[in-house]
Structures are given as C-alpha cells and as structure tokens.
Amino acid sequence: LITCVDSPRLRHCFDMGHWNMFKKVGLEEWFAQLGSYIAEVHIHDNRGTRDDHGPIGAGTIDFPLFFRLMRQYAPDAVHTIEAHSRCNCRCGMCDIWRTPDNRSFTPSQLISQLKSLDRLGTKHVVFTGGEPLMSGYTWRLIDWFAANQGRSQTRLAINSNLGMESQRVQAL
C-alpha cells in the first residue's frame, strides 16, 4: 500500500510488540524492506505469545538491534510508549479500558526508558496507553522533563483527555 501510493505523507506505524507476536521474518529483513517508511513506533516488550505491553527488557525482543535499525532507517520517527492500561473513558474506537489486569510500568521503568530514548537521540516521545493522568506518576514524568530542559533534545507529547486533576493542570 505504501509503495503503491508513493507519497511521503503516507507512512507506517511499526508496533514492536505486535511484530514480535506475529513475525514471519527477522527484524533485519523486515527493516530492510519497510524501515525507511516508518514514521512512528510503538515501544513495548512481550514474550511473543500475548500483547503484554511490558517495559523494555520484560520480554524477548532484541531492543539493541531494534534501536540500531531505527537509527539507520527511521531516525526521526516518533516513539510511542503505551505505559499502562487504566482509562476513565469508554471510547468506541479503543478497548484498552476493558483490559482486566491494569498493566502498568513502574515510574522508575518509565523514566529509565525515557533516559535511554534521550541518549539514543529520540526527538519525539508520546506517552499514552489508557489515560496518562490516571497512571499516578504522570507528574513525575513531567517533572523529569522540566528538570532536564536544556539537556534533553526529546519532546514529550501526552495523549490525554486532560479531564483528571484539573487543579494541577490549571497550575501549569
């Protein structure tokens, strides 16, 4: 589809966890064919049997190889971290709120991943996966970004309905 349309405005969102579950070819072969079309990646780990959305290192994905291939083929891609599954919305197009286990990264896992992405030169990170303001540690994440202004080249976007903690949002 992407090569048929042949437009720089149509690109691919590569989901690492989904690739690990359904792969038919190795990561290097996949990137050789489609890597230059990546505009966004969803970063999460699993063991190849369930879409766990775990933090890097919690599953079987070869992330050093993945990040090397990203630098080679799609260095300007947006990196999306789906860090938890809690949500107060009941959107028809998304069923993450139906997830029974309320999976979640710990604050230290999330900040460790952000530091790693920053060291790798990642320019854009999206924090999502359920409602970010329900995670309980979104403010720690925002505080980390604020403390690293001037040292970090990474830009953070939070995919939120901003319906939670309105007093704290207004204080910003």
Side-chain angles (χ1 to χ4, degrees):
L1 176 65
I2 294 170
T3 56
C4 290
V5 173
D6 193 26
S7 169
R9 296 176 56 208
L10 177 64
R11 290 293 178 248
H12 180 60
C13 175
F14 180 59
D15 190 304
M16 255 329 279
H18 294 176
W19 171 84
N20 197 41
M21 290 175 51
F22 304 111
K23 63 186 173 208
K24 303 275 191 230
V25 299
L27 197 56
E28 290 176 295
E29 183 179 345
W30 195 97
F31 267 84
Q33 293 297 311
L34 295 169
S36 62
Y37 295 105
I38 294 175
E40 180 179 356
V41 293
H42 287 190
I43 303 171
H44 55 99
D45 209 348
N46 64 46
R47 299 187 186 287
T49 57
R50 181 179 158 198
D51 195 19
D52 295 320
H53 285 254
I56 293 172
T60 59
I61 295 172
D62 183 349
F63 276 98
L65 174 60
F66 167 73
F67 285 121
R68 183 177 61 75
L69 293 168
M70 284 298 296
R71 279 191 304 275
Q72 179 180 348
Y73 289 98
D76 295 326
V78 172
H79 291 66
T80 298
I81 300 173
E82 296 177 4
H84 73 98
S85 62
R86 293 180 61 213
C87 190
N88 60 339
C89 295
R90 299 296 183 257
C91 302
M93 79 290 196
C94 173
D95 66 353
I96 197 166
W97 54 273
R98 295 180 194 262
T99 304
D101 58 358
N102 281 327
R103 64 184 181 270
S104 183
F105 290 18
T106 66
S108 60
Q109 287 171 326
L110 184 58
I111 289 176
S112 173
Q113 290 193 27
L114 291 169
K115 288 178 181 177
S116 296
L117 290 172
D118 190 54
R119 281 192 303 272
L120 290 166
T122 302
K123 295 178 181 80
H124 310 282
V125 174
V126 176
F127 177 47
T128 188
E131 168 52 54
L133 294 179
M134 290 185 73
S135 71
Y137 52 78
T138 300
W139 299 112
R140 284 185 60 188
L141 174 67
I142 292 169
D143 290 343
W144 180 83
F145 264 86
N148 286 284
Q149 281 185 328
R151 292 191 303 269
S152 173
Q153 66 176 353
T154 305
R155 182 174 65 190
L156 175 68
I158 298 176
N159 182 12
S160 173
N161 64 30
L162 296 177
M164 304 287 295
E165 300 191 37
S166 60
Q167 291 175 342
R168 181 86 190 249
V169 172
Q170 288 174 359
L172 291 175

